[in-house]
């Protein structure tokens, strides 16, 4: 080997060592950076005509595509289950624990207990006042629950608007990164940092809507949702959603009062399933609606028990009973949103006449009857314990209906909690598998020692050649 060949080889070795050290430094510095993939130098031998040695042919990003795809799908499922569990926990807190004095069942139990106390001493006005007060507490609890359900729908609607905006922006950014990567690949430039940015964006997209990533020429990718919608292939789709600032019970997608997610101006919800976006739409359009319907049925049952013509003969067929629909008689054909309109009859309300003696003599009585007459109060007590006549009441007493509602909400939360635990464990395992293919700092430190040795060896060759040249020149 000639001196010039040896010098060329040594200089090439120094250049390779320098680049390898740079990659090791980047790997270690980004060990915890989301989207970062371990880099490794690709080398190739130079031809004999160029005096031999090695040169850098490129930088390889090590990514296990199968593990990455599975982790993304698991992340979408976890985001979906997290949103549903958070909502259901909110609903369970809203209904309350039976041991909590402010829970729905506790309010109904207090109302029944106050009637029991009034039956034993109908002559005591303070006991009649307790009946009116506990009835007002039931109304307050139910009205507050109804309002909170609509607040949850509005929150979900706002979340959908934010997720759609993020999804559209991320798709546009991936489209731009595709363009930059193609340019880098065509011009033989290292595009590793661009690949990292794109991987992180696709991760974010997949959490909102789970996607499959498909390769195209020159490093470009296309994204297709699990539901079959092409979100990006060359250019990104146009997504739109109009948020609704105020939502009331009768507003639904079906009657056109709530917005749908549109993709290229067409409804797209069915093809965007599986992630955080679908979860928020499910909360807005299904879970909260179902909760409201169940609550409305309990309110209707409560109201009809006291509107029974055999209970208080002093009120007419069109007159409101103790519980009213914003002051009017409750109509079972106007069920939607009834719990939000529930009110106490003005005759016994603190905001109204507050004549609690009517609880003893009758709401429509023209004069105060016998103060010892507890017949009306006894009928009220019996009405609370009678089997429901509603098809969905299952022949239960009012208290049993309230308790069944609480149990249903709690059991749904437990079911979602189990699902969330499974999805979280699955995601954690796949994330761990992905990290196992990533940067190992111990290995990188070992590589750094090898790089140091290689650098020193090449430097020694150059030093030796320098000494030889100096010796020749002195001869």
């Amino acid at each position: 080997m000639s001196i010039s060949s040896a010098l060329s080889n040594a200089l090439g070795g120094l250049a390779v060592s320098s680049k390898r050290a740079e990659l090791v430094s980047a790997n270690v510095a980004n060990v915890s950076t989301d989207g970062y993939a371990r880099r490794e130098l690709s080398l190739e031998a130079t031809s004999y005509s160029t005096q031999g040695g090695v040169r850098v042919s490129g930088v390889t990003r090590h990514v296990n595509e199968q593990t990455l795809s599975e982790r993304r799908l698991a992340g979408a499922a976890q985001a979906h289950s997290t949103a549903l569990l958070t909502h259901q926990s909110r609903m369970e807190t809203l209904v309350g624990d039976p041991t909590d004095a402010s829970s729905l069942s506790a309010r109904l139990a207090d109302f029944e207990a106050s009637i029991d106390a009034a039956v034993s001493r109908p002559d005591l006005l303070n006991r009649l006042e307790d009946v009116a007060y506990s009835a007002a507490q039931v109304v307050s609890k139910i009205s507050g629950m109804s309002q909170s359900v609509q607040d949850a729908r509005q929150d979900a609607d706002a979340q959908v608007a934010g997720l759609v905006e993020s999804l559209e922006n991320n798709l546009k950014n991936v489209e731009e990164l595709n363009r930059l990567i193609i340019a880098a690949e065509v011009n033989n430039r290292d595009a590793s940092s661009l690949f990292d940015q794109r991987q992180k964006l696709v991760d974010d997209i997949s959490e909102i809507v789970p996607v499959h990533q498909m390769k195209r020429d020159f490093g470009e990718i296309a994204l297709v949702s699990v539901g079959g919608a092409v979100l990006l292939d060359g250019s990104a789709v146009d997504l739109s959603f109009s948020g609704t600032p105020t939502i009331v019970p009768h507003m639904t997608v079906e009657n056109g009062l709530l917005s749908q997610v549109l993709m290229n101006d067409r409804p797209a919800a069915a093809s965007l399933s599986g992630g955080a976006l679908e979860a928020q739409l499910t909360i807005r359009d299904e879970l909260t609606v179902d909760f409201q319907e169940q609550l409305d049925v309990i309110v209707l049952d409560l109201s009809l028990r006291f509107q029974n013509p055999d209970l208080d003969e002093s009120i007419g067929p069109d007159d409101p009973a103790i519980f009213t629909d914003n002051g009017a008689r409750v109509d079972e054909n106007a069920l939607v949103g009834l719990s939000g309109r529930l009110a106490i009859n003005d005759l016994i309300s603190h905001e109204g006449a507050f004549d609690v003696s009517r609880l003893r003599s009758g709401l429509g009585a023209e004069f105060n009857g016998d103060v010892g007459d507890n017949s009306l109060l006894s009928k009220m007590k019996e009405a609370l314990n009678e089997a429901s006549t509603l098809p969905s009441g299952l022949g239960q007493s009012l208290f049993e209906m309230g308790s069944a509602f609480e149990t249903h909400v709690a059991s749904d939360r437990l079911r979602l909690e189990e699902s969330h635990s499974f999805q979280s464990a699955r995601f954690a395992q796949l994330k761990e598998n992905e990290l196992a293919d990533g940067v190992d700092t111990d290995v990188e430190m070992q590589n750094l020692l090898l790089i140091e040795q290689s650098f020193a060896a090449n430097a020694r060759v150059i030093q030796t050649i320098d000494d030889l040249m100096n010796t020749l020149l002195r001869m």
Side-chain angles (χ1 to χ4, degrees), residues 205-226:
I205 289 170
S206 191
E207 189 171 300
I208 300 172
V209 176
V211 295
H212 294 301
Q213 177 178 308
M214 295 184 294
K215 293 182 178 180
R216 296 290 187 260
D217 295 336
F218 301 107
E220 184 183 11
I221 61 170
L223 298 176
V224 179
S225 74
V226 173

Side-chain angles (χ1 to χ4, degrees), residues 30 46 78 137 165 174 228 278 283 385 412-413 467:
N30 291 281
T46 57
Q78 184 190 42
Q137 289 293 95
E165 182 179 3
V174 172
E278 185 199 30
I283 291 170
N385 292 290
D412 279 353
R413 193 265 305 163
D467 292 342

Side-chain angles (χ1 to χ4, degrees), residues 89-143:
S89 298
R90 177 179 180 180
M91 293 298 99
E92 185 180 27
T93 302
L94 188 61
V95 174
D97 186 274
T99 60
D100 183 2
S102 63
S103 68
L104 177 61
S105 60
R107 295 295 193 201
L108 293 174
D110 288 345
F111 179 50
E112 184 177 5
S114 67
I115 294 177
D116 275 340
V119 167
S120 63
R121 290 296 303 273
D123 56 310
L124 298 178
L125 287 180
N126 66 318
R127 296 202 176 184
L128 298 179
E129 289 174 0
D130 286 343
V131 174
Y133 174 76
S134 59
Q137 289 293 95
V138 170
V139 169
S140 176
K141 176 64 177 179
I142 291 174
S143 298

Side-chain angles (χ1 to χ4, degrees), residues 223-245:
L223 298 176
V224 179
S225 74
V226 173
V230 178
L231 301 179
L232 172 69
D233 195 359
S235 60
V237 297
D238 291 324
L239 296 168
S240 61
F241 178 83
S242 300
T244 306

Side-chain angles (χ1 to χ4, degrees), residues 63-300:
V63 177
N64 188 321
E65 297 290 348
Q66 181 64 32
T67 301
L68 177 61
S69 177
E70 291 178 358
R71 192 266 297 162
R72 282 174 175 164
L73 294 179
Q78 184 190 42
H80 184 275
S81 64
T82 298
L84 295 184
L85 177 59
T86 300
H87 166 74
Q88 195 61 29
S89 298
R90 177 179 180 180
M91 293 298 99
E92 185 180 27
T93 302
L94 188 61
V95 174
D97 186 274
T99 60
D100 183 2
S102 63
S103 68
L104 177 61
S105 60
R107 295 295 193 201
L108 293 174
D110 288 345
F111 179 50
E112 184 177 5
S114 67
I115 294 177
D116 275 340
V119 167
S120 63
R121 290 296 303 273
D123 56 310
L124 298 178
L125 287 180
N126 66 318
R127 296 202 176 184
L128 298 179
E129 289 174 0
D130 286 343
V131 174
Y133 174 76
S134 59
Q137 289 293 95
V138 170
V139 169
S140 176
K141 176 64 177 179
I142 291 174
S143 298
M145 289 171 64
S146 179
Q147 182 57 54
S148 295
V149 170
Q150 300 315 308
D151 290 343
R153 293 188 79 194
Q154 289 175 207
D155 291 344
D157 189 82
Q159 287 286 335
V160 171
L163 290 172
V164 170
E165 182 179 3
S166 295
L167 179 59
E168 184 171 36
N169 289 337
N170 287 340
L171 287 171
K172 296 293 184 184
N173 289 335
V174 172
E175 178 185 340
E176 175 63 15
L177 284 171
N178 271 343
R179 187 187 65 79
L180 295 175
I181 287 170
I182 291 173
E185 292 286 325
V186 169
N187 292 285
N188 199 29
R189 295 196 303 267
D190 181 20
S192 296
S193 61
L194 298 177
F195 280 103
D196 289 343
Q197 293 178 49
R198 190 177 67 183
Q199 181 174 314
K200 179 62 173 65
L201 285 172
V202 176
D203 287 349
D204 293 341
I205 289 170
S206 191
E207 189 171 300
I208 300 172
V209 176
V211 295
H212 294 301
Q213 177 178 308
M214 295 184 294
K215 293 182 178 180
R216 296 290 187 260
D217 295 336
F218 301 107
E220 184 183 11
I221 61 170
L223 298 176
V224 179
S225 74
V226 173
V230 178
L231 301 179
L232 172 69
D233 195 359
S235 60
V237 297
D238 291 324
L239 296 168
S240 61
F241 178 83
S242 300
T244 306
T246 302
I247 297 179
V248 292
H250 73 277
M251 298 173 69
T252 64
V253 172
E254 289 74 16
N255 60 26
L257 297 178
L258 290 180
S259 176
Q260 299 185 68
V261 178
L262 301 179
M263 185 168 64
N264 293 334
D265 296 325
R266 294 185 178 182
S271 59
L272 301 178
S273 59
L277 180 59
E278 185 199 30
Q280 295 301 331
L281 288 170
T282 299
I283 291 170
R284 188 196 69 171
D285 299 330
E286 297 178 26
L287 298 185
T288 48
V289 172
D290 180 64
F291 187 99
Q292 182 74 53
E293 287 176 351
Q294 293 181 68
L295 187 59
D296 287 343
V297 168
I298 292 175
V299 171
L300 178 62

